[in-house]
Amino acid sequence: MVLGAAARVAIVGCRRLVCSSSHASPLLVSSSQCRQMSMDAQSVSEKLRNSGLLRTQGLIGGKWIDSYDKTTIKVNNPATGEIVADVACMGVKETNDAIASSYEAFPSWSRRTAGERSKVLRRWFDLLVAHKEELGQLITLEQGKPLKEAIGEVAYGASFIEYYAEEAKRVYGDIIPPNASDRRLLVLKQPIGVVGAITPWNFPLAMITRKVGPALASGCTVVVKPSELTPLTALAAAELALQAGVPPGALNVVMGNAPEIGDALLTSPQVRKITFTGSTAVSLELGGNAPSIIFDDADLDVAVKGTLAAKFRNSGQTCVCANRVLVQDGIYDKFAEAFSEAVQKLEVGDGFKEGQPSKTEKSCISPIHTNKRYFLCSVVVFFLKGAKVLLGGKKHSLGMTFYEPTVIRDEEIFGPVAPLIRFKTEEDAIRIANDTIAGLAAYIFTNSVQRSWRVSEALEYGLVGVNEGIISTEVAPFGGVKQSGLGREGSKYGMDEYHEGAKILLGGKKHSLGMTFYEPTVIRDVTSNMIMSKEEIFGPVAPLIRFKTEEDAIRIANDTIAGLAAYIFTNSVQRSWRVSEALEYGLVGVNEGIISTEVAPFGGVKQSGLGREGSKYGMDEYHEIKYICMGDMNRQ
């Protein structure tokens, strides 16, 4: 189960909702100003509306619908405060209907061949690329990042759909050497079911495609809850998914009242998996607290360039941004000077304005889109604690949510502020870097191959960049350790999160139950609606339940919250495969009653546990996946 590859931006949002209608007062009061759109933004919005990509309704069962009580949320441009659109403010009723729609769509979507699902995803990828300009404009409108960076996110986000369109055809199982001559042991990977995907605002497209791509490729259906700050990109992507042939109900999008939507997804027995990138309402942990470590032997230009990219991309508002820059004594002063000069050259402004990166090669600082009050209060606290400002340190003259790129000493923050922390030895750097509850990404800069390996292995982080500041890619696993999330997204490992392993043993004889201290009991005429049929009987009692058809047997067997082991007895090879695949259980015995063995995976689905024990899969539960990206490798 994935609760997110990183724990970042609030499940209930970082600013208050505005839910309004013609017959109701606002649900909550917005803390931001609401202005009418400027002519430039209005022109972009009109073009997007004409293209059919500016959607304001939720998507449930393949239909675009308003919230049931007609309430709406105002989506603002963070650079100007202008109102971009009013979108449906949905809650528990709409979410439950979206879940039901996904649940109904799951059997038909999961039964499609991998090749058929692959073709649908490939068409979706093609449409995302064909509309990259419009999608980039939409991201800049509602999220604020520079247009060039926004279009780059579209390419990055689309790459996950392309990757999983290909990976859908490579979901392989296993054949395990048996521990008895009359047995055959096989492992299948089957789609989990309905997935609830909760995504943040900082990458409104890529965070969705990184979750939805592997889910759909695996045969799962999805209910997406995008951030209420940036729902428009998610809705546009869903529109293109429909055009690509994703069937009604396989992909649903609901947005609005985040606590209600989140609760509905978490409590529904039909939702079999939650994939979540964000943080809870009680947490202000808004990043992976990533260190960038600069050793004395680092190439200064490479270190400055790499740290600049790792720190200030998306105004420092990504979960893998370098929140702490650790610099060794011997290079500290040189790096501080060179880094401050580079930061001073960064431009600050609206992503649509002339001279921004959409027109030039210069980097741009976009608006602060996190909890603005928290961000500014944090900066004030750091200054009161004695942090020395090397550059910046105040709101930008542009006003609104713009903040000057800042370099300070000895602190960390989620935004365009880079703290420089001095260290003496390699051991000091590792100790400081690991002294945090987070563990998503880390960066090191050194020309020593030996040091690069020592430090990479010692850092308690899921991703490590060596002489490289931009390390995220669709072909590598993305995820953290400690309190930076569970599971991985991206790469072949991202597919594993959406499959359950089912074990089939092909036997051919009845098994002796051996000695027992309790009198075996048989109860006949038990019906499928009796409690005995739905709950576990932990003892030597065997209820007999009559069924007529194969479909009846599967329905009765699956009508339970548990899903550890099932057994079927048939001489039909075809039926053994059909029923084994249809049973919602982690272990399936065919013509065999004793199926546990150390060489096969043991574990259930639904409410029968998480993970697997036994076999090679049991080892996976005790490993963290670390991805290391080595940069600057062309140096002679």
Side-chain angles (χ1 to χ4, degrees):
M1 178 179 180
V2 167
L3 294 178
R8 304 310 141 243
V9 184
I11 189 172
V12 295
C14 291
R15 76 178 180 197
R16 298 174 183 172
L17 296 178
V18 177
C19 294
S20 61
S21 69
S22 58
H23 58 275
S25 58
L27 197 67
L28 294 168
V29 179
S30 171
S31 61
S32 62
Q33 293 178 319
C34 295
R35 305 180 178 182
Q36 296 303 310
M37 277 196 295
S38 66
M39 291 304 294
D40 287 345
Q42 204 167 29
S43 174
V44 171
S45 296
E46 193 61 34
K47 289 179 181 178
L48 290 169
R49 198 178 301 277
N50 291 337
S51 71
L53 293 182
L54 186 58
R55 291 285 185 176
T56 58
Q57 299 170 298
L59 179 64
I60 299 177
K63 297 180 180 179
W64 295 102
I65 64 170
D66 293 316
S67 60
Y68 294 160
D69 60 3
K70 304 303 181 184
T71 56
T72 60
I73 305 172
K74 296 185 183 301
V75 178
N76 297 91
N77 181 339
T80 64
E82 299 166 344
I83 300 171
V84 178
D86 292 282
V87 302
C89 181
M90 296 177 158
V92 62
K93 293 181 180 179
E94 295 90 344
T95 306
N96 286 336
D97 285 348
I99 293 170
S101 174
S102 279
Y103 189 75
E104 292 171 5
F106 174 70
S108 60
W109 177 248
S110 62
R111 280 197 298 265
R112 291 199 188 188
T113 67
E116 290 171 337
R117 294 197 297 267
S118 175
K119 289 177 182 177
V120 172
L121 288 174
R122 181 70 203 195
R123 287 195 293 269
W124 191 16
F125 164 76
D126 290 338
L127 287 171
L128 290 171
V129 173
H131 292 277
K132 64 180 180 181
E133 296 287 342
E134 297 99 315
L135 291 170
Q137 291 172 347
L138 196 52
I139 291 172
T140 297
L141 265 182
E142 65 173 349
Q143 199 276 340
K145 65 180 61 177
L147 184 58
K148 180 181 178 181
E149 204 169 303
I151 293 174
E153 181 185 336
V154 177
Y156 174 57
S159 70
F160 286 101
I161 302 302
E162 180 185 35
Y163 183 85
Y164 287 112
E166 299 164 352
E167 202 67 15
K169 297 176 285 187
R170 293 190 284 271
V171 179
Y172 303 130
D174 257 334
I175 297 178
I176 301 172
N179 61 339
S181 61
D182 63 342
R183 295 183 175 188
R184 300 295 181 269
L185 282 63
L186 302 90
V187 172
L188 301 180
K189 289 186 177 180
Q190 295 182 297
I192 285 176
V194 177
V195 175
I198 300 173
T199 62
W201 51 265
N202 53 352
F203 287 90
L205 179 67
M207 289 296 97
I208 289 174
T209 57
R210 198 166 71 188
K211 299 176 186 298
V212 174
L216 291 178
S218 298
C220 298
T221 53
V222 191
V223 178
V224 175
K225 183 263 168 202
S227 168
E228 64 276 3
L229 303 178
T230 56
L232 301 177
T233 304
L235 297 172
E239 166 62 28
L240 295 176
L242 290 180
Q243 293 180 24
V246 174
L251 176 61
N252 299 277
V253 182
V254 290
M255 62 280 173
N257 191 319
E260 285 194 9
I261 295 172
D263 286 346
L265 290 171
L266 289 169
T267 58
S268 172
Q270 294 180 332
V271 177
R272 298 283 297 278
K273 177 184 184 63
I274 295 291
T275 172
F276 164 68
T277 300
S279 65
T280 64
V282 296
S283 172
L284 290 176
E285 202 284 288
L286 296 176
N289 210 3
S292 179
I293 306 172
I294 319 299
F295 287 100
D296 286 347
D297 60 7
D299 182 294
L300 186 62
D301 291 337
V302 170
V304 168
K305 182 180 178 181
T307 303
L308 196 71
K311 173 67 247 184
F312 289 102
R313 182 169 62 115
N314 202 25
S315 288
Q317 299 172 111
T318 82
C319 50
V320 295
C321 271
N323 284 356
R324 301 170 292 162
V325 183
L326 281 59
V327 189
Q328 198 164 15
D329 253 345
I331 200 174
Y332 187 95
D333 292 332
K334 289 182 179 179
F335 179 85
E337 181 181 357
F339 187 64
S340 296
E341 287 179 3
V343 172
Q344 199 165 23
K345 295 176 182 178
L346 296 174
E347 294 188 17
V348 179
D350 187 332
F352 282 121
K353 296 300 182 182
E354 293 291 327
Q356 299 307 324
S358 56
K359 302 290 183 180
T360 74
E361 290 303 313
K362 294 182 180 179
S363 297
C364 174
I365 298 300
S366 53
I368 295 296
H369 212 321
T370 57
N371 187 327
K372 183 170 57 177
R373 292 179 180 176
Y374 168 67
F375 173 78
L376 294 177
C377 287
S378 297
V379 175
V380 171
V381 169
F382 294 158
F383 292 164
L384 291 175
K385 288 168 64 177
K388 181 179 178 181
V389 181
L390 300 182
L391 181 71
K394 61 182 184 296
K395 290 185 68 175
H396 197 274
S397 58
L398 290 174
M400 291 300 298
T401 55
F402 291 99
Y403 192 83
E404 288 186 354
T406 299
V407 180
I408 63 176
R409 296 177 186 264
D410 302 328
E411 289 297 343
E412 60 213 47
I413 196 168
F414 191 72
V417 178
L420 304 186
I421 302 172
R422 190 188 300 266
F423 70 89
K424 292 185 177 181
T425 67
E426 182 178 305
E427 291 72 20
D428 285 340
I430 294 170
R431 177 183 53 79
I432 295 169
N434 288 342
D435 186 19
T436 172
I437 61 174
L440 183 57
Y443 309 86
I444 67 175
F445 294 87
T446 176
N447 281 330
S448 167
V449 174
Q450 295 85 349
R451 172 172 278 165
S452 71
W453 280 107
R454 283 197 308 269
V455 178
S456 293
E457 291 180 351
L459 288 172
E460 297 170 356
Y461 291 82
L463 299 82
V464 179
V466 179
N467 294 327
E468 181 58 58
I470 303 295
I471 60 177
S472 297
T473 168
E474 77 279 5
V475 301
F478 183 99
V481 301
K482 295 190 282 193
Q483 292 191 28
S484 284
L486 301 172
R488 292 298 182 270
E489 295 178 333
S491 80
K492 68 176 184 178
Y493 300 101
M495 291 285 283
D496 293 341
E497 305 294 339
Y498 298 90
H499 289 107
E500 297 283 3
K503 184 177 64 176
I504 300 175
L505 293 90
L506 300 178
K509 61 183 177 66
K510 292 184 178 180
H511 196 285
S512 172
L513 293 178
M515 187 173 66
T516 176
F517 293 100
Y518 300 95
E519 183 180 344
T521 301
V522 178
I523 302 176
R524 59 170 295 165
D525 297 327
V526 177
T527 61
S528 61
N529 61 348
M530 292 181 180
I531 294 178
M532 184 179 294
S533 173
K534 300 178 183 294
E535 297 186 2
E536 181 179 24
I537 303 172
F538 206 67
V541 178
L544 303 184
I545 305 169
R546 189 189 301 270
F547 70 88
K548 292 184 178 181
T549 67
E550 182 179 303
E551 290 73 20
D552 286 340
I554 294 169
R555 176 182 54 78
I556 295 169
N558 288 341
D559 187 20
T560 173
I561 61 174
L564 181 57
Y567 308 85
I568 66 173
F569 294 85
T570 175
N571 285 327
S572 167
V573 174
Q574 295 84 352
R575 171 169 282 167
S576 70
W577 279 103
R578 285 198 306 270
V579 178
S580 294
E581 291 181 346
L583 288 172
E584 297 173 354
Y585 290 81
L587 298 82
V588 179
V590 180
N591 294 330
E592 182 58 63
I594 304 296
I595 61 178
S596 296
T597 168
E598 76 280 4
V599 299
F602 182 96
V605 302
K606 294 191 283 193
Q607 293 190 27
S608 287
L610 301 172
R612 292 296 182 270
E613 294 177 335
S615 78
K616 68 175 184 180
Y617 299 99
M619 293 284 285
D620 293 342
E621 303 296 330
Y622 297 92
H623 288 105
E624 294 283 7
I625 295 173
K626 177 176 287 187
Y627 153 55
I628 300 176
C629 174
M630 303 285 289
D632 194 36
M633 296 298 288
N634 291 330
R635 179 186 299 275
Q636 298 298 317

